[in-house]
Amino acid sequence: MPSLRRRVAARTSWKRYVRHSLGLKAPRGMGWITNPRRAAYNRAYNRLTFDPLRLGRRRRTGGRGTGLVIFGLIVLALILRAMVAA
């Protein structure tokens, strides 16, 4: 059941205030940069779990954020390369 207290707490947290004030919001699909552990878990979960009632239907292979994820991984690789070279 949705919690009104948690909803308000998430909207008024100091982390959210700082992130929005500094403009540090990552676009959709950039979870690999912001929280790689959670992104890996979500990717595995979404690929390995299925709904038995929808077995006959085809699964969507791409998504809205696929291009952004690839772009994010390229940017991450370039940043890591620059850090190693420095």
Side-chain angles (χ1 to χ4, degrees):
M1 186 167 154
S3 169
L4 183 61
R5 182 181 61 83
R6 288 183 183 170
R7 188 174 181 177
V8 171
R11 288 292 194 163
T12 57
S13 72
W14 66 270
K15 291 180 184 179
R16 178 183 168 91
Y17 178 77
V18 169
R19 187 172 61 241
H20 284 246
S21 297
L22 297 176
L24 297 175
K25 290 174 57 183
R28 195 179 167 104
M30 292 292 182
W32 287 102
I33 295 173
T34 58
N35 193 341
R37 184 176 177 188
R38 181 170 50 182
Y41 173 84
N42 287 337
R43 184 175 175 107
Y45 179 84
N46 289 328
R47 287 177 179 256
L48 295 175
T49 57
F50 63 92
D51 182 6
L53 300 176
R54 299 186 67 184
L55 279 177
R57 299 181 188 164
R58 287 181 52 193
R59 214 176 127 229
R60 185 174 58 141
T61 55
R64 264 187 279 181
T66 306
L68 284 176
V69 170
I70 293 169
F71 175 74
L73 291 175
I74 292 170
V75 170
L76 181 61
L78 292 173
I79 291 171
L80 290 175
R81 187 192 307 175
M83 289 173 56
V84 170

